[in-house]
């Protein structure tokens, strides 16, 4: 078997994927080598900046195998990776250092394992999983600010095909003929989608298999008459970016602000203005939305230096979309209304994908006049907006939804882990679940994420744990026993403690399957 040295340019492969341009590198000190007795090397994959322990028999010298493997895929991610390694090879030939390490770390998307990651995100599969790679702990230094643009329509199509690819390769129903596969997918669903009808053989080459199942490329443009009120948007995280973009696309005049300014770029490119501070945005806008991580962030935005309170005045509306506890909501509501402002809470149910598609479920409560004034915004952001009456009912509804989701997610992780221990094929189990009475998008997408060892941060686990904590707190105050949620919360706490808070909630499998 060929042996390799740190620095060697190679092709490295994950099961079911084409060989990918990569380099043998030295693992960080905190990266454990898998206990398997086979020879393994630590590999960095070009194009993604990701790392994985890989078995030696799945690694080949780059130059010697260029012709053989460089046609492995036509996907842009693969082609970019080839370009990157070629650039690195050329630099080495000229005696220059390989700068792609830093460049790729810099250009990593907004959250680890974003949906657009090609092969190498899969390469971060778990130690102890059935795959032959081991995970790199999610070292902080590798997470960088978003620079990636939102997926194009074509990319979304590809991703949906990839999900179908997962179903194909794992269901064992129809191993070879893509047309047969199309009928299999359609048969599980009475109304076939266009994506299902359009599947092509190319989807088999695509390495990314964990797109959200409810994603669709058929986003029907909404017939929205945008309000003439100027709109502000504070907080451009996983949810905020697509939400603010949808406001712009629907024709609203939008001014954005984010603590890390780089995240404003896609919005400014789409036509939004950029404010210099929350106060600045509030001064220039009539209605201001906020969507930030947690209660501390919500308070910082409102009462911090150059915060919302510095700009609020009579008639202006502030809409809090972050998921936080009812005390925080009451506190900021009082602060804003005392200055003559109007306040609405409007947490959302959904995920990154539904935010991108303008298909969130919005749970509004508070000032009804503000709800009416902002209606065209809600139309742009969601598929359904509920007005739930008094302040607090929106947040409480949202927390109950997320408590159920978190408990179910933890249970799914346990089921899949138990299957592994019992020698039950996990892929078959997932197929069974997807055909059973508990089939739902969560089982489909998060189950796939677990089996692929690929945890794109659609809903960061740290936020899921926060929502479990807040719902338990609600149960405590109301003396409602919440045994199941309490147990699930322990798993989320553990997963966060071992360093996976920024990964998707499905990463709870890591704690369950430890
Ligand atoms: P995220 O990607 O972690 O983004 C968090 C945002 O909050 C970023 O813009 C961040 O700014 C900002 N932020 C954090 N601390 C701050 C502070 N002290 N001052 C000012 N800004 C601060 O979170 P997300 O997934 O978009 O979620 C946002 C909210 O929506 C959360 O309450 C979450 O529970 C809820 N939610 C999320 C989902 C989902 O699927 N992701 C679904 C429904 C509801 P920087 O960029 O500077 O860090």
């Amino acid at each position: 078997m060929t042996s390799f040295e740190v620095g060697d340019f190679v092709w490295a492969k994950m099961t079911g994927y084409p060989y990918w341009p990569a380099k043998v590198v030295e693992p960080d000190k905190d990266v454990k080598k898998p206990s398997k007795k086979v020879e393994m090397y630590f590999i960095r994959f070009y194009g993604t900046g990701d790392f994985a322990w890989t078995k030696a028999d799945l690694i080949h010298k780059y130059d010697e195998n260029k012709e053989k493997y460089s046609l492995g895929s036509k996907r842009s991610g693969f082609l970019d990776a080839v370009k990157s390694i070629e650039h690195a090879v050329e630099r080495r030939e000229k005696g220059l250092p390989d700068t792609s390490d830093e460049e790729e770390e810099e250009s990593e998307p907004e959250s680890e394992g974003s949906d657009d990651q090609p092969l190498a995100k899969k390469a971060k599969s778990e130690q102890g999983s059935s795959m032959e790679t081991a995970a790199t702990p999610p070292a902080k230094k590798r997470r960088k600010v978003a620079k990636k643009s939102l997926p194009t329509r074509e990319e979304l199509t590809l991703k949906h095909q990839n999900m179908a690819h997962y179903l194909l390769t794992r269901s064992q129903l129809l191993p070879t003929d893509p047309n047969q596969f199309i009928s299999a997918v359609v048969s599980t669903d009475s109304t076939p989608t266009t994506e299902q009808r359009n599947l092509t053989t190319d989807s088999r080459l695509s390495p990314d298999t964990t797109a959200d199942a409810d994603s669709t490329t058929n986003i029907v443009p909404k017939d929205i008459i945008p309000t003439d009120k100027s709109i502000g948007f504070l907080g451009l995280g996983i949810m905020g970016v697509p939400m603010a973009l949808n406001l712009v696309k629907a024709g609203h005049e939008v001014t954005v602000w984010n603590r890390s300014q780089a995240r404003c770029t896609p919005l400014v490119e789409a036509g939004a203005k950029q404010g210099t501070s929350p106060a600045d945005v509030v001064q220039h806008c009539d209605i201001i939305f906020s969507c930030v991580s947690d209660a501390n962030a919500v308070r910082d935005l409102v009462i911090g230096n150059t915060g919302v309170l510095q700009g609020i005045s009579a008639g202006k509306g502030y809409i809090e979309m972050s998921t936080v506890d009812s005390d925080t909501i009451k506190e900021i509501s009082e602060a804003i209304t005392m200055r003559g402002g109007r306040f609405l809470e409007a947490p959302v149910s959904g995920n990154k994908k539904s935010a991108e598609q303008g298909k969130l479920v919005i749970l509004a409560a508070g000032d009804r006049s503000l709800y009416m004034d902002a209606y065209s915004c809600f139309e742009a952001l969601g598929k359904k907006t509920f007005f739930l009456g008094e302040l607090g009912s929106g947040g409480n509804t949202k927390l109950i939804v997320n408590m159920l989701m978190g408990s179910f997610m933890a249970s799914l992780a346990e089921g899949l882990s138990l299957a592994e221990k019992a020698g039950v094929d996990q892929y078959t189990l997932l197929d069974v679940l997807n055909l059973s009475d508990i089939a739902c998008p969560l089982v489909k997408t998060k189950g796939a994420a677990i089996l692929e060892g690929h945890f794109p941060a659609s809903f960061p686990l740290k936020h899921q744990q926060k929502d479990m904590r807040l719902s338990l707190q609600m149960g405590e105050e109301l003396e409602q026993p919440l045994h199941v949620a309490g147990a699930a919360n322990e798993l989320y706490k553990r997963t966060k403690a071992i360093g996976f808070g920024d990964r998707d909630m499905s990463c709870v499998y890591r704690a369950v399957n430890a």
Side-chain angles (χ1 to χ4, degrees):
M1 197 180 304
T2 320
S3 57
F4 299 92
E5 287 183 4
V6 168
D8 281 355
F9 294 118
V10 295
W11 295 95
K13 181 167 167 41
M14 301 294 107
T15 309
Y17 295 85
Y19 274 96
W20 201 271
K23 186 162 104 174
V24 180
V25 294
E26 195 77 66
D28 286 353
K29 278 193 211 87
D30 53 348
V31 176
K32 268 203 277 173
K33 195 168 181 182
S35 51
K36 292 185 180 177
K37 291 206 170 87
V38 294
E39 197 177 353
M40 297 184 101
Y41 292 92
F42 198 59
I43 296 294
R44 183 172 74 77
F45 290 86
Y46 279 91
T48 67
D50 279 317
F51 300 77
W53 285 104
T54 306
K55 284 202 264 179
D57 62 356
L58 293 173
I59 306 171
H60 302 286
K61 297 270 185 195
Y62 179 73
D63 267 343
E64 293 162 23
N65 294 282
K66 211 150 75 170
E67 278 189 26
K68 192 165 163 193
Y69 296 128
S70 59
L71 299 175
S73 168
K74 288 187 178 133
R75 276 198 78 185
S76 59
F78 178 83
L79 299 177
D80 287 348
V82 173
K83 239 189 254 173
S84 295
I85 196 169
E86 281 295 314
H87 181 64
V89 170
E90 199 184 316
R91 284 183 66 83
R92 180 169 297 171
E93 281 166 5
K94 290 181 183 160
L96 299 166
D98 181 1
T99 52
S100 59
D101 306 61
E102 298 81 44
E103 282 164 16
E104 285 175 3
E105 283 181 19
E106 285 296 330
S107 64
E108 195 164 349
E110 72 255 30
S111 53
E112 280 196 317
S114 155
D115 292 2
D116 287 341
Q117 291 299 297
L119 166 76
K121 277 294 175 193
K122 174 180 174 359
K124 285 194 165 188
S125 59
E126 321 316 300
Q127 271 174 305
S129 81
S130 56
M131 296 179 192
E132 56 276 87
T133 57
T136 305
K140 275 253 187 272
K141 67 187 178 63
R142 296 210 170 105
R143 282 194 288 277
K144 293 283 156 72
V145 170
K147 284 190 185 165
K148 198 171 168 83
S149 59
L150 293 174
T152 62
R153 202 176 177 81
E154 287 73 17
E155 284 169 330
L156 285 172
T157 307
L158 249 183
K159 280 194 260 175
H160 203 89
Q161 289 171 350
N162 293 334
M163 185 62 204
H165 168 68
Y166 157 73
L167 291 168
L168 168 65
T169 50
R170 301 309 182 195
S171 70
Q172 298 155 355
L173 287 173
L174 297 161
T176 50
D177 182 350
N179 296 319
Q180 279 182 315
F181 167 54
I182 294 164
S183 17
V185 174
V186 170
S187 71
T188 62
D189 205 329
S190 56
T191 335
T193 65
T194 310
E195 301 84 75
Q196 286 166 343
R197 288 189 215 105
N198 287 344
L199 290 174
T200 65
T201 325
D202 285 344
S203 66
R204 290 153 177 266
L205 294 173
S206 304
D208 181 355
T209 59
T210 53
D212 286 353
D214 60 352
S215 73
T216 168
T217 55
N218 298 335
I219 306 166
V220 180
K222 296 178 185 174
D223 194 10
I224 296 169
I225 302 172
T227 173
D228 58 6
K229 299 201 180 306
S230 52
I231 306 299
F233 203 104
L234 309 175
L236 300 171
I238 292 175
M239 299 298 277
V241 168
M243 288 164 80
L245 262 175
N246 279 333
L247 293 177
V248 175
K249 284 183 198 156
H252 296 94
E253 186 195 317
V254 180
T255 305
V256 296
W257 177 86
N258 191 62
R259 184 179 59 176
S260 317
Q261 290 189 15
R263 284 187 161 171
C264 296
T265 308
L267 273 303
V268 172
E269 284 170 2
K273 291 180 200 150
Q274 184 174 348
T276 55
S277 65
D280 179 49
V281 174
V282 177
Q283 273 155 12
H284 288 95
C285 298
D286 303 312
I287 297 173
I288 301 93
F289 289 86
S290 145
C291 187
V292 288
S293 44
D294 54 19
N296 287 338
V298 163
R299 283 204 191 88
D300 278 357
L301 273 194
V302 175
I303 56 182
N305 281 340
T306 66
V308 168
L309 291 186
Q310 311 298 316
I312 206 90
S313 56
K316 289 194 187 254
Y318 194 72
I319 302 179
E320 186 53 76
M321 303 196 92
S322 320
T323 309
V324 289
D325 60 290
S326 55
D327 287 348
T328 304
I329 287 292
K330 281 185 189 128
E331 186 186 324
I332 58 167
S333 166
E334 276 170 21
I336 283 165
T337 50
M338 270 172 60
R339 285 163 178 77
R342 297 178 292 161
F343 184 84
L344 194 71
E345 65 171 344
V348 297
S349 180
N351 55 29
K352 181 183 176 199
K353 197 64 66 181
S354 37
E356 284 165 0
Q357 296 175 342
K359 287 186 172 179
L360 295 168
V361 175
I362 297 159
L363 305 166
D367 191 310
R368 189 181 257 281
S369 71
L370 177 54
Y371 170 73
M372 298 308 290
D373 283 351
Y375 197 75
S376 69
C377 299
F378 294 133
E379 283 183 303
L381 299 175
K383 62 179 172 188
K384 175 92 183 161
T385 303
F386 291 85
F387 183 76
L388 297 167
E390 283 192 17
L391 212 56
S393 8
N396 288 346
T397 308
K398 163 70 189 167
L399 286 178
I400 294 167
V401 170
N402 273 25
M403 179 187 82
L404 293 174
M405 186 170 75
S407 301
F408 187 50
M409 178 70 247
S411 200
L412 175 66
E414 286 187 343
L416 287 167
S417 186
L418 183 61
E420 192 192 22
K421 306 268 158 58
V424 171
D425 183 80
Q426 291 178 307
Y427 294 102
T428 307
L429 177 66
L430 192 56
D431 286 338
V432 173
L433 291 174
N434 281 323
L435 292 167
S436 74
D437 284 354
I438 56 167
C440 63
L442 186 136
V443 169
K444 207 181 237 179
T445 60
K446 307 299 187 190
I450 287 173
L451 297 198
E452 295 295 331
H454 179 64
F455 300 100
S458 176
F459 185 36
L461 186 133
K462 64 183 178 193
H463 294 334
Q464 178 60 60
Q465 197 275 318
K466 164 198 61 132
D467 294 349
M468 297 305 284
R469 177 171 44 81
L470 294 178
S471 51
L472 289 171
Q473 198 176 302
M474 200 196 321
E476 173 78 28
E477 283 159 17
L478 300 171
E479 297 186 2
Q480 168 63 46
L482 296 170
H483 299 291
V484 177
N489 183 44
E490 294 305 315
L491 287 171
Y492 288 104
K493 274 163 61 181
R494 176 77 195 128
T495 321
K496 214 167 80 167
I498 56 177
F500 296 113
D502 288 323
R503 297 292 189 96
D504 190 68
M505 64 182 289
S506 48
C507 217
V508 68
Y509 183 73
R510 298 268 180 115
V512 169
N513 194 249

